[in-house]
Amino acid sequence: MQINAAVLRAADAPYTIESLDLADPGPGEVLVKIAGAGMCHTDMLGRVPGDLVAKPVVLGHEGSGVVEAVGPGVTGLAPGDHVVMSFDSCGTCDTCRTARPGACPQMMALNMLAVPLDGVPRATAGDGEAVHTRWFEQSSFASHALGTVRNVVPVTADAPLERLGPLGCGVQTGAGSVLISLGVRAGDSIAIFGAGAVGLSAVMAARVAGATTIVAVDLHESRLDLARELGATHVLNGADADIAGQIRAISGGEGVRYSFDTTAVPEVVSTAVASLCTTGVCGLVGVGAAEYRLDANLLLMGRTVKGIIEGDAVPHTFIPTLIELWRQGRFPFDRLITTYPLDQINQAEGDTTSGKVVKPVLIP
């Protein structure tokens, strides 16, 4: 079928809106008409020079929409279902079977290369050129996308479908890291570094969990203002001196029970660890840094540094939970969203990298 898609042909090129021929859904696949697709920091990996993400490619991995068709063997989904598209996983390895699909050994191959495992292109341009459309097994910067039964999550039809896409990755990562991976509880303290979509989702989740000290750190005052509105009890500008000392002071001198870094900036990660109390846990989700240097003495005192993928969440259960929390007014993730027509994708990308908006959502 013919679809419209935003195609990235080179790491340093603008997106171009093109007409592509998309294959019918095969075994285990699901065709989704996209209602909205969030732009996530991970999509910027397509901008990194090199061969990690095959080109030309359709990016986008926070899609939401309506099922139009299903392939052979698909159960639990049918045309007309409202869905959110998330990351894919194999479903058969030990980590998948123990409810940690984000740590699936095939995470990279299934999600971050944009090339199908069988090597067969699912989309072509008008001249027959293959265009890669398996980014996170969806490539949802398009009018339609092919997903799989593993990464297409049915949701209720009364939620604002065009705004649900970010629940598939960025919002899920922030909220899941707090509620599932770190297990923040009532009365706990947490410092969150970076008040973008992931960090602000963590702020909202910490409030849901009942944390009594929630510190947000960022360089943008507008994001700190929003963090305060969404539940942060304290906000700090990351350009200020001795952030770790300020956080220890806020938490009574001992440090916070949890810290959470979304920036992947080595100096910030060091500060996040230094902000912990003894036996505290620092969760890392930022992508980009090649290495971190940490004070071994801090770790010897019982502190833990933990890498987290997709919040350690199971999308099919956690995304409906977040929607229900939104419905109750306890998790207003839609306040993070600014919508753009798909043909304004380059503007949306510029606005998010500059910090002007928190979470762009593209509407085909």
Side-chain angles (χ1 to χ4, degrees):
M1 67 176 295
Q2 289 297 119
I3 69 168
N4 290 323
V7 179
L8 188 68
R9 293 191 162 272
D12 58 354
Y15 288 93
T16 56
I17 304 299
E18 302 182 24
S19 178
L20 305 178
D21 185 26
L22 185 67
D24 294 331
E29 293 181 343
V30 182
L31 176 66
V32 177
K33 179 177 174 57
I34 299 299
M39 178 173 280
C40 178
H41 180 74
T42 304
D43 291 311
M44 303 305 173
L45 291 177
R47 294 292 190 191
V48 177
D51 299 325
L52 173 64
V53 182
K55 309 290 192 311
V57 63
V58 179
L59 297 173
H61 64 285
E62 294 182 340
S64 60
V66 179
V67 174
E68 285 207 345
V70 299
V74 172
T75 59
L77 290 165
D81 286 350
H82 287 207
V83 296
V84 171
M85 306 181 80
S86 190
F87 65 94
D88 203 9
S89 54
C90 76
T92 59
C93 67
D94 286 345
T95 52
C96 285
R97 290 198 301 266
T98 54
R100 292 189 62 195
C104 174
Q106 294 197 61
M107 180 70 174
M108 176 70 74
L110 286 171
N111 295 283
M112 304 188 73
L113 303 182
V115 177
L117 293 182
D118 61 12
V120 178
R122 299 298 196 270
T124 55
D127 59 359
E129 175 191 26
V131 177
H132 301 288
T133 55
R134 303 303 282 182
W135 179 245
F136 280 72
E137 296 284 31
Q138 57 177 284
S139 290
S140 51
F141 289 164
S143 61
H144 296 75
L146 281 175
T148 75
V149 70
R150 288 279 303 167
N151 77 322
V152 175
V153 179
V155 296
T156 58
D158 59 346
L161 186 60
E162 71 283 356
R163 292 175 175 261
L164 298 183
L167 297 177
C169 184
V171 173
Q172 174 174 251
T173 295
S177 294
V178 168
L179 296 174
I180 300 172
S181 188
L182 296 177
V184 175
R185 299 179 180 179
D188 279 337
S189 55
I190 184 170
I192 295 161
F193 292 80
V198 176
L200 290 171
S201 296
V203 167
M204 290 186 285
R207 182 174 64 174
V208 167
T212 49
T213 300
I214 305 171
V215 184
V217 184
D218 200 90
L219 296 174
H220 297 276
E221 289 296 332
S222 61
R223 293 189 175 191
L224 294 176
D225 290 342
L226 182 55
R228 189 181 287 107
E229 294 173 17
L230 294 175
T233 59
H234 303 78
V235 298
L236 298 173
N237 191 300
D240 291 345
D242 193 14
I243 294 296
Q246 292 188 60
I247 291 173
R248 287 194 297 270
I250 288 169
S251 54
E254 295 186 355
V256 288
R257 174 63 55 190
Y258 300 100
S259 61
F260 180 57
D261 177 73
T262 72
T263 70
V265 176
E267 295 79 8
V268 177
V269 171
S270 296
T271 299
V273 175
S275 301
L276 292 170
C277 66
T278 57
T279 73
V281 181
C282 174
L284 305 180
V285 297
V287 176
E291 63 179 30
Y292 298 121
R293 293 192 176 189
L294 302 176
D295 184 341
N297 292 314
L298 293 176
L299 301 182
L300 288 172
M301 291 299 293
R303 297 171 179 86
T304 300
V305 178
K306 180 180 185 179
I308 305 171
I309 303 175
E310 296 287 352
D312 287 338
V314 177
H316 280 75
T317 56
F318 193 56
I319 289 173
T321 296
L322 293 179
I323 293 173
E324 182 56 32
L325 288 169
W326 168 83
R327 196 189 316 278
Q328 295 174 12
R330 300 167 62 196
F331 191 78
F333 71 91
D334 49 334
R335 291 195 58 189
L336 311 181
I337 290 171
T338 303
T339 60
Y340 296 78
L342 181 62
D343 61 9
Q344 292 183 15
I345 185 171
N346 292 303
Q347 180 67 48
E349 182 182 39
D351 288 349
T352 189
T353 54
S354 70
K356 181 178 179 180
V357 302
V358 174
K359 173 60 69 172
V361 170
L362 300 159
I363 310 296

